Amino acid sequence: MLIEVKNVSLLFGTTTALDNLSLQVQGGAVGLLGPNGAGKSTLIKTLLGFVKPNQGTATVFGMDVLANPFEIRKQIGYMPEDECLIPGMTAVQLVSYAGELCGMPRRDALQRAHEVLYYVGLDEERYRTVDEYSTGMKQRVKLAQALVHDPKLLLLDEPTNGMDTSGREEMLELVKDIAIDKDINVILSSHLLPDVEFACQEIVALSHGSVAIQGQIHALKENKGQSFDLKIVGDSEAYITALEHHNFQVELHPDKRLRVTSARQEQTETTFFFKLAYDTGVQLRQLRGVKHTLEDIFAEVMSVDSQFSND
């Protein structure tokens, strides 16, 4: 087991950051999702041993985070969301220094710094001071310092922050390569769902300090059911009633378009919707299948969770 968290609660004053949170992570590339204040960064800091829970236990690599924080950190690469670069240092100096802090001999750390800076695309810029770097370049240096000691687990907190489109795509390609080809476990914390969907196979979504949903992305998409976008002309109320009678969930959009989702496992033939339109006296002007995204799943889960929290 890579990570195991059992009934962890953590309070900052009167604010609950983690609320009886329990989860298990076997490994691979896992996306950590949730709105601001959901507890993502607090969970990462808990796993690193930076903060102490008020109750519960957490283990990484089978070791308790409170009893073995330094041993755990030797095997983790951490890319924080906040600025963490030392002014006046060149990239190669900074990354090499990070390697030494992890216990690497100076010569090995320097050699490894050159290798990882080449890997993240900064080989030609490695002798410039980090003060001169753009936001995207700084993000790459942060990734390099997290990789320098060849960790077993990489914790990435908003790694594409401030990057332009091409830089963001390149960063996500690196994350995917690290997880798949380099066989390093990755926890990617992000508020950008397309980033997580591209680079990860599994998600853990937090809300109000607890797990709202966890699972393999492809399985969550399949479980959501088959969906269609429809546009009709006529008595929409009668058509919607008929759809609901056949166990379809119906969302009415502002442009009078219908999002129809099947609650059944078997595939629905498109001819069904035309026949139903004929039976209810409406015209079906548009019909297309919908490919579910992670955003659909996340929005639905957060909506349900919000309803419960407001009750």
Side-chain angles (χ1 to χ4, degrees):
M1 184 71 62
L2 180 66
I3 294 169
E4 186 169 22
V5 178
K6 292 183 178 179
N7 307 116
V8 166
S9 293
L10 195 151
L11 283 73
F12 294 117
T14 58
T15 302
T16 302
L18 299 177
D19 186 9
N20 199 35
L21 185 147
S22 295
L23 64 87
Q24 292 182 337
V25 175
Q26 299 288 343
V30 180
L32 184 60
L33 295 169
N36 289 335
K40 303 189 300 296
S41 294
T42 303
L43 174 58
I44 288 175
K45 290 174 183 175
T46 300
L47 297 176
L48 289 166
F50 292 164
V51 294
K52 182 179 179 180
N54 295 86
Q55 71 172 43
T57 60
T59 62
V60 182
F61 313 122
M63 295 181 286
D64 186 272
V65 296
L66 296 181
N68 304 280
F70 298 112
E71 187 60 34
I72 289 171
R73 286 178 214 162
K74 286 180 183 178
Q75 303 177 65
I76 290 180
Y78 176 41
M79 180 180 174
E81 179 181 7
D82 298 328
E83 184 82 29
C84 66
L85 306 180
I86 302 173
M89 274 191 166
T90 66
V92 72
Q93 287 173 331
L94 188 144
V95 176
S96 176
Y97 179 57
E100 290 184 58
L101 290 176
C102 292
M104 299 175 68
R106 178 167 296 183
R107 180 176 293 182
D108 293 347
L110 182 60
Q111 179 180 341
R112 180 65 175 163
H114 286 286
E115 292 171 356
V116 293
L117 285 168
Y118 177 81
Y119 176 70
V120 302
L122 286 178
D123 51 311
E124 294 184 2
E125 309 289 343
R126 64 188 185 275
Y127 294 115
R128 287 175 57 188
T129 60
V130 293
D131 312 63
E132 305 172 49
Y133 277 8
S134 66
T135 300
M137 293 167 69
K138 288 179 179 178
Q139 292 294 87
R140 291 171 187 267
V141 175
K142 285 162 64 176
L143 177 61
Q145 63 80 30
L147 285 171
V148 67
H149 60 299
D150 195 22
K152 292 182 180 179
L153 170 62
L154 201 58
L155 300 177
L156 308 177
D157 199 350
E158 302 287 356
T160 61
N161 260 8
M163 303 186 83
D164 59 25
T165 301
S166 62
R168 179 172 156 237
E169 290 173 353
E170 290 169 2
M171 175 65 77
L172 293 174
E173 288 286 0
L174 284 171
V175 173
K176 198 170 186 178
D177 182 72
I178 289 166
I180 296 174
D181 294 336
K182 303 297 185 289
D183 199 27
I184 297 174
N185 299 296
V186 174
I187 303 291
L188 170 61
S189 175
S190 178
H191 68 285
L192 299 173
L193 275 68
D195 287 11
V196 170
E197 189 165 10
F198 177 84
C200 301
Q201 292 83 47
E202 182 181 352
I203 63 163
V204 175
L206 301 184
S207 178
H208 305 291
S210 300
V211 176
I213 188 171
Q214 180 176 4
Q216 296 290 319
I217 294 174
H218 70 87
L220 292 171
K221 287 182 180 179
E222 290 175 0
N223 291 340
K224 186 164 171 54
Q226 192 180 13
S227 290
F228 300 87
D229 275 348
L230 288 74
K231 198 162 189 177
I232 61 173
V233 176
D235 186 358
S236 61
E237 186 174 339
Y239 192 67
I240 290 172
T241 300
L243 285 168
E244 291 174 341
H245 179 73
H246 285 85
N247 294 321
F248 285 91
Q249 296 175 346
V250 183
E251 300 173 45
L252 180 59
H253 290 244
D255 58 357
K256 296 186 178 179
R257 178 174 51 86
L258 302 181
R259 170 66 60 86
V260 178
T261 302
S262 173
R264 301 174 296 182
Q265 292 296 320
E266 63 270 17
Q267 294 290 304
T268 303
E269 297 294 333
T270 55
T271 52
F272 165 82
F273 297 104
F274 287 98
K275 183 179 184 305
L276 198 65
Y278 177 81
D279 291 342
T280 54
V282 302
Q283 296 180 35
L284 184 56
R285 294 285 181 85
Q286 181 180 320
L287 172 64
R288 66 179 181 86
V290 175
K291 187 176 181 180
H292 291 301
T293 65
L294 186 57
E295 188 171 357
D296 297 328
I297 298 163
F298 184 75
E300 182 177 309
V301 171
M302 290 299 113
S303 174
V304 171
D305 189 68
S306 176
Q307 289 173 18
F308 279 111
S309 67
N310 290 331
D311 285 347

